[in-house]
Amino acid sequence: MHVKKVILIFLLWFAGLGAAAQFAKIAVPFGAIQALYPDQDAELGWLLSLISLVGAVLGIVGGTLVSALGPKRVLLGGLLLGGAISLGQASLPGFGLMLFSRIPEGLSHLAIVVAAPTLIADLASERYRGAAMALWGTFFGVAFVLVAALSAPLLALGGLTYLFSAHGIAMLVIALLLALGLGDEGQFDTPENRLDLTFVLDQHRRSYGSAFIAAPGIGWLFYTLTYVSILNLVPQMVGEEDSAFLAGSMSTISIVTSMILVPLLLVFMSGIGVVVLGFATSLAVVLWALSGPDIALVGIALFAMLGLVQGATFAAIPELTQTMQHRALSYGVMAQTGNIGNLLGTPILLAIVGAGGQAAMFASAAAVYVLAIIAHG
């Protein structure tokens, strides 16, 4: 694969890191956010969930925009908007304005996570496309690790102002580099320029009516229903002194398996085949968990298997779709279903744990993975 295309793929991955950091810059330094707005405890959770809500409602609209305008313009617009909003947030406005700013930031996030993988799938040669998409699949976990590592020194230097400023500047620099590097890449020969309500509704029908477009996103719903919720809950079950280490280990092992095992398995299997394998082995782990092994081992083993789903789902989309327009819609479905899963997963699993304890949590996860396998079939 040409060196320029490899560099562009990594720049697009960096754009994904910037999009994921839109979550991480609030989630990781949450104590500092609480200190900034001490009278808003009941509403602080919306600073995190509002971006997910935007994606859950408008996911396919993001795919529609990419289909209409081309991924390059949508991506650059998302990066510029996201960078400008972060720089504005660096002034640490009042809670109402900060909360409102998360709505356009959600639009920025959606634009990036739909347009960037669409471009990566187009840039990567057939031989390396699976590896490129597996790389993209790590963007969320890697961003949280980076923000966790960088937030402490930035907060020590200048508080949240420095953290938000660094994020905003990074987004704008990535936008500039991609604007210079992409050239004519990401432009459609025959863009679908209609953006009226009838066209948007038709794109929803078209997307969910096609198994080739919708299948990866449907599986992603089941993945996200358990990923964030179990990542939050399992570390709390090992004691406060070990919880942070376990959470980091679980995230890291999912990234490692996504990056190393998925490209190897894609040599012999289809992307959907690897996804189903990931759900099947995850099912085996949660059934094993019901026998009472060490909870830390369960968490690490489970996230190692979920890493297969993570990387292979993104790789399945260019296998199942032939045009950038269809890929954009498929990534839009993923954005929509993934955000729905993130929104619903933690409160549902918290209620299940409250009612039936740890065993009920793993039994529920087992049911989710069975449904995921059936849905793919």
Side-chain angles (χ1 to χ4, degrees):
M1 194 161 58
H2 195 277
V3 173
K4 179 186 175 182
K5 290 190 174 183
V6 173
I7 293 171
L8 284 172
I9 286 170
F10 274 98
L11 281 174
L12 290 164
W13 181 63
F14 288 142
L17 297 184
Q22 291 172 320
F23 281 96
K25 70 179 184 182
I26 301 294
V28 172
F30 202 67
I33 298 289
Q34 288 176 312
L36 180 63
Y37 303 113
D39 300 323
Q40 305 291 336
D41 281 349
E43 293 83 16
L44 278 178
W46 282 104
L47 285 177
L48 275 175
S49 60
L50 204 53
I51 285 185
S52 288
L53 186 61
V54 170
V57 174
L58 299 176
I60 293 181
V61 175
T64 301
L65 282 172
V66 172
S67 293
L69 303 176
K72 178 183 174 181
R73 277 190 279 182
V74 173
L75 174 66
L76 295 179
L79 286 166
L80 292 172
L81 177 62
I85 290 171
S86 256
L87 290 177
Q89 291 168 342
S91 67
L92 306 183
F95 181 76
L97 188 54
M98 179 69 84
L99 185 63
F100 178 78
S101 74
R102 297 290 278 174
I103 298 174
E105 194 164 25
L107 297 175
S108 160
H109 179 87
L110 182 61
I112 296 166
V113 300
V114 174
T118 302
L119 280 164
I120 290 174
D122 187 60
L123 287 168
S125 64
E126 186 173 351
R127 179 180 179 184
Y128 294 106
R129 187 172 290 138
M133 299 318 301
L135 172 68
W136 170 257
T138 67
F139 77 97
F140 216 85
V142 171
F144 268 77
V145 171
L146 285 175
V147 173
L150 296 174
S151 60
L154 286 171
L155 289 173
L157 282 171
L160 288 168
T161 294
Y162 272 40
L163 179 62
F164 292 161
S165 296
H167 177 251
I169 292 168
M171 296 276 274
L172 296 177
V173 169
I174 293 167
L176 174 62
L177 293 175
L178 283 169
L180 294 173
L182 281 171
D184 293 331
E185 299 286 351
Q187 304 295 343
F188 293 149
D189 294 331
T190 55
E192 301 181 71
N193 286 315
R194 294 168 53 208
L195 284 174
D196 54 61
L197 180 61
T198 301
F199 178 63
V200 171
L201 293 175
D202 182 65
Q203 294 294 74
H204 279 73
R205 179 198 57 77
R206 180 182 178 187
S207 299
Y208 284 105
S210 166
F212 297 100
I213 293 174
I218 298 301
W220 200 243
L221 171 65
F222 296 108
Y223 168 82
T224 52
L225 275 172
T226 62
Y227 184 93
V228 173
S229 52
I230 290 179
L231 184 60
N232 285 332
L233 292 173
V234 166
Q236 296 177 26
M237 298 175 180
V238 300
E240 188 174 343
E241 66 279 1
D242 297 321
S243 62
F245 176 77
L246 179 57
S249 299
M250 290 165 65
S251 297
T252 302
I253 194 67
S254 71
I255 294 169
V256 170
T257 54
S258 180
M259 280 298 301
I260 296 176
L261 289 183
V262 168
L264 293 175
L265 290 169
L266 287 173
V267 175
F268 309 102
M269 304 172 66
S270 68
I272 291 293
V274 179
V275 171
V276 172
L277 175 64
F279 278 124
T281 51
S282 298
L283 173 63
V285 171
V286 293
L287 292 176
W288 170 57
L290 295 174
S291 67
D294 180 76
I295 189 68
L297 286 177
V298 170
I300 291 171
L302 177 60
F303 272 62
M305 298 303 99
L306 287 175
L308 300 180
V309 179
Q310 177 181 294
T313 299
F314 287 102
I317 289 176
E319 286 184 3
L320 294 173
T321 52
Q322 300 303 313
T323 68
M324 276 207 289
Q325 284 95 335
H326 286 167
R327 288 170 185 168
L329 290 175
S330 194
Y331 289 119
V333 173
M334 275 189 72
Q336 188 163 56
T337 58
N339 281 297
I340 291 170
N342 285 334
L343 279 172
L344 297 179
T346 299
I348 289 174
L349 224 57
L350 274 172
I352 289 170
V353 170
Q358 182 178 303
M361 177 183 74
F362 288 122
S364 301
V368 168
Y369 299 146
V370 168
L371 290 172
I373 294 168
I374 293 170
H376 281 92

